Amino acid sequence: GKRNKIVVACAGTTDLPVAEEAAITLEVSGCDIIRVYDAGVAGLHRIIQSLPKIRDPQVGCIIVCAGMDGALPSVVGGLVDVPVIAVPTSIGYGASFGGISAMLTM
């Protein structure tokens, strides 16, 4: 089958503005988007609940927006067989360094 859908994912509400900007930009460009906005790895049950969406056979690419330590794209990459595009965000606290920490992890 065709893999013509794109998943835009993030861990939660803090990364939502960046994820939604990506989703809207893709929709305006004519792409079919699946949003997964509660897939954080701090509670693994959240990413496990998202598996049917991210493993949909029509998904050809996943964009993962993540701040903090930037772990979500690596976890998603281990669960799927399609390209994963990691987008670091400047969201975070502690030693996130305005998104630099997430970017270096990715």
Side-chain angles (χ1 to χ4, degrees), residues 45-102:
H45 64 283
R46 291 163 56 201
I47 189 70
I48 290 169
Q49 290 171 346
S50 302
L51 284 176
K53 288 183 179 180
I54 67 173
R55 287 184 169 171
D56 184 309
Q58 292 182 319
V59 170
C61 177
I62 302 174
I63 298 173
V64 182
C65 303
M68 301 297 293
D69 57 7
L72 184 58
S74 297
V75 172
V76 170
L79 296 170
V80 299
D81 62 355
V82 297
V84 174
I85 299 169
V87 179
T89 70
S90 59
I91 308 300
Y93 52 83
S96 66
F97 303 110
I100 299 296
S101 176

Side-chain angles (χ1 to χ4, degrees), residues 6-57:
I6 300 170
V7 169
V8 176
C10 67
T13 57
T14 55
D15 299 316
L16 187 59
V18 176
E20 191 59 16
E21 181 178 351
I24 290 170
T25 301
L26 290 165
E27 285 177 331
V28 168
S29 300
C31 299
D32 192 1
I33 305 302
I34 299 172
R35 288 169 169 83
V36 177
Y37 288 167
D38 188 28
V41 295
L44 283 177
H45 64 283
R46 291 163 56 201
I47 189 70
I48 290 169
Q49 290 171 346
S50 302
L51 284 176
K53 288 183 179 180
I54 67 173
R55 287 184 169 171
D56 184 309

